[in-house]
Amino acid sequence: QTQAMVARLLNSSDRYTRLQLVMTKGLRRAEAEHALIVDYCRKGQFDQAVDLLRAHIHHVKTELMRYVTKTNRPKAGAGGK
């Protein structure tokens, strides 16, 4: 059951992850941050890894929300008339 739940969560969040990467041109930053997080873990620097992971997730959320909010705004003069 847990594995199925995790699979559903990954499946539903994947589209938003891809949207954020493509629409905000965040792929290079994401790759660099992911590599640094792994590097911190390999070196046993778990506090730094956690701090960067939190900052990474916050940045992704902020960028995705900014993009979604911007693209869902009604266009000027588009009042349905």
Side-chain angles (χ1 to χ4, degrees), residues 28-47:
R28 281 192 203 154
R29 178 181 176 149
E31 288 174 341
E33 288 179 353
H34 292 175
L36 190 51
I37 290 166
V38 170
D39 190 48
Y40 281 144
C41 290
R42 285 185 177 143
K43 292 177 179 176
Q45 297 174 320
F46 302 113
D47 289 340

Side-chain angles (χ1 to χ4, degrees), residues 46-62:
F46 302 113
D47 289 340
Q48 291 91 331
V50 168
D51 289 345
L52 180 54
L53 181 58
R54 282 187 177 129
H56 175 74
I57 291 169
H58 178 75
H59 173 76
V60 169
K61 177 191 133 195
T62 301

Side-chain angles (χ1 to χ4, degrees), residues 60-79:
V60 169
K61 177 191 133 195
T62 301
E63 288 298 305
L64 184 57
M65 294 300 293
R66 183 179 296 138
Y67 175 77
V68 169
T69 302
K70 185 172 91 173
T71 58
N72 283 334
R73 267 194 208 132
K75 293 185 171 94

